[in-house]
Amino acid sequence: IIDDGSEDNTDEIVNAIQDERIHYFKKSHTGHTSILKNFALGIAKGNLIAFIDSDDLWKKEKLGTQVKLMNENSSVSFSISDVTTFRNTTILIDHSYKLQHTVEYKNIFDQMRKGQMLIYNPTLVIRKECFNKVGLFNEAMFSGDYQFNMRLAYHFNAAVIYETLVLRRAHDSNMSELMPFENYAEYIETYEYLYNNKMIRFSDLCKAKSNAFFKMGNIYSLNGQKKEAFSNYLNSFKYGIPVPLHFLRLLRTLRSVKHV
C-alpha cells in the first residue's frame, strides 16, 4: 500500500490490520500516481503484478480468475477484464466491452490504436518480466497509464476477460474528472511517443491529435471559454480529415468569438 501523503487516518487503519502480507509506505504527496506505481514496482517481489486504486473495488473472484488463467496460458503476458462504473449506489455503465461472458487471447494494440478498446488499470494482471521490455511508468505524467498500456499491448499478447471483475467508482474527486486537460495532454504525448518509435503511422498521430483537440474544445466550450474552444477546434480541424461535426463546432465558436 503506497500512501500519497494522505492527511486522514489511513496509516492507523492499515497498521491495525494484523497481516504480514501487507507492507505500508507513506510518501510525500506528489499527485503523480506514476511515481507511486514505480515505487511499488521497485519493491514488489511477486511474479505477477496487479494494481488497485483507493476508490475502486475488486470483485472477490478477480485475482483468482486471472491468476488461474495466466498460469494455464504461458503465451499470455497480461490479463484485463471489463469494468462496471458506479456512483454511490447507482450503476452508471454496466459494462464497457460489447462482448460478454467469454475470453479472448490476442494482441489488442491495433484495437487500442483505433480507439476500439481501453485498458482500465485496476483490471490488469501483468507478468513482472514484462517491465524489462516495456519499462516503467512515465513519471513526468500524472498517471502514465495510457502510455504504459499502449507500450504493453504493442509488445505482448493479452487475455481479455469479457466479464466485470472491477467496480470503478465515479465521483467528484476522480482524477479523470479533475484533470481532463492533463489527461488529453498525456494522450497526445503518448501518440507522439508511439510515432517517434515507429509503432504507429503518421495518420494515426494526426487522428489522435484531432480527436484530443476536439474534446478539449468541447470542455472549453461547456465552460464558456469561447476563444480557447475555438483554438482547440481549429487545431482539431488542422490535424484531422474534415469531419462535419468538427467543422460545425469550429464555425459556431468562430461566430461566438467574433461577438466577444
Side-chain angles (χ1 to χ4, degrees):
I1 299 175
I2 316 299
D3 184 339
D4 188 26
S6 67
E7 297 180 351
D8 55 18
N9 63 334
T10 295
D11 52 351
E12 295 177 13
I13 294 172
V14 174
N15 290 326
I17 302 173
Q18 299 301 310
D19 191 325
E20 62 182 13
R21 296 172 300 176
I22 295 176
H23 301 273
Y24 174 71
F25 299 87
K26 187 162 187 176
K27 308 291 289 180
S28 298
H29 178 69
T30 68
H32 284 222
T33 61
S34 53
I35 295 175
L36 304 180
K37 290 190 288 277
N38 285 345
F39 176 82
L41 287 167
I43 56 178
K45 298 178 180 178
N47 294 322
L48 296 176
I49 301 293
F51 303 97
I52 178 66
D53 295 333
S54 60
D55 52 356
D56 298 326
L57 303 171
W58 281 347
K59 287 193 172 182
K60 63 181 181 180
E61 68 271 22
K62 192 264 189 194
L63 279 181
T65 298
Q66 290 180 282
V67 169
K68 182 175 184 294
L69 183 151
M70 301 273 292
N71 286 339
E72 293 174 350
N73 297 273
S74 59
S75 63
V76 169
S77 296
F78 69 99
S79 169
I80 59 175
S81 78
D82 204 344
V83 302
T84 291
T85 302
F86 73 100
R87 185 191 298 270
N88 298 323
T89 59
T90 302
I91 300 296
L92 302 179
I93 305 173
D94 191 29
H95 55 83
S96 300
Y97 299 150
K98 292 181 179 180
L99 286 178
Q100 288 292 293
H101 308 300
T102 188
V103 179
E104 283 190 315
Y105 306 93
K106 60 181 181 178
N107 188 288
I108 62 174
F109 179 77
D110 277 342
Q111 284 180 278
M112 293 180 67
R113 174 179 61 82
K114 296 173 184 177
Q116 298 170 351
M117 178 166 284
L118 182 65
I119 293 177
Y120 296 92
N121 268 52
T123 76
L124 270 171
V125 173
I126 313 170
R127 298 192 194 279
K128 193 176 183 182
E129 62 197 39
C130 291
F131 292 93
N132 296 331
K133 178 73 174 179
V134 176
L136 298 175
F137 292 83
N138 185 338
E139 295 190 358
M141 296 179 169
F142 284 94
S143 74
D145 290 350
Y146 188 72
Q147 188 189 96
F148 174 83
N149 293 338
M150 290 294 282
R151 300 192 325 254
L152 180 69
Y154 181 83
H155 290 291
F156 296 105
N157 292 331
V160 184
I161 303 173
Y162 293 101
E163 175 187 350
T164 291
L165 296 178
V166 172
L167 305 177
R168 178 177 177 269
R169 190 190 309 270
H171 51 68
D172 292 339
S173 62
N174 274 60
M175 179 173 291
S176 58
E177 296 177 11
L178 281 174
M179 301 187 303
F181 297 113
E182 288 86 347
N183 284 348
Y184 286 123
E186 288 191 14
Y187 177 82
I188 291 173
E189 187 175 343
T190 294
Y191 274 83
E192 289 176 340
Y193 171 90
L194 296 173
Y195 175 70
N196 290 334
N197 286 274
K198 305 185 187 309
M199 299 162 77
I200 60 171
R201 299 183 298 267
F202 183 67
S203 59
D204 296 321
L205 173 62
C206 289
K207 183 177 180 181
K209 285 187 173 183
S210 179
N211 288 336
F213 282 120
F214 180 73
K215 290 176 181 178
M216 286 191 286
N218 289 342
I219 295 171
Y220 278 121
S221 181
L222 288 172
N223 291 336
Q225 296 170 275
K226 300 302 181 182
K227 290 183 179 179
E228 292 82 358
F230 174 75
S231 176
N232 278 274
Y233 286 141
L234 186 61
N235 280 330
S236 173
F237 189 73
K238 179 175 69 175
Y239 283 108
I241 298 172
V243 177
L245 178 59
H246 291 205
F247 188 62
L248 180 61
R249 293 282 175 87
L250 179 65
L251 291 179
R252 284 180 176 174
T253 52
L254 175 61
R255 205 164 65 179
S256 299
V257 168
K258 285 183 175 180
H259 288 87
V260 172

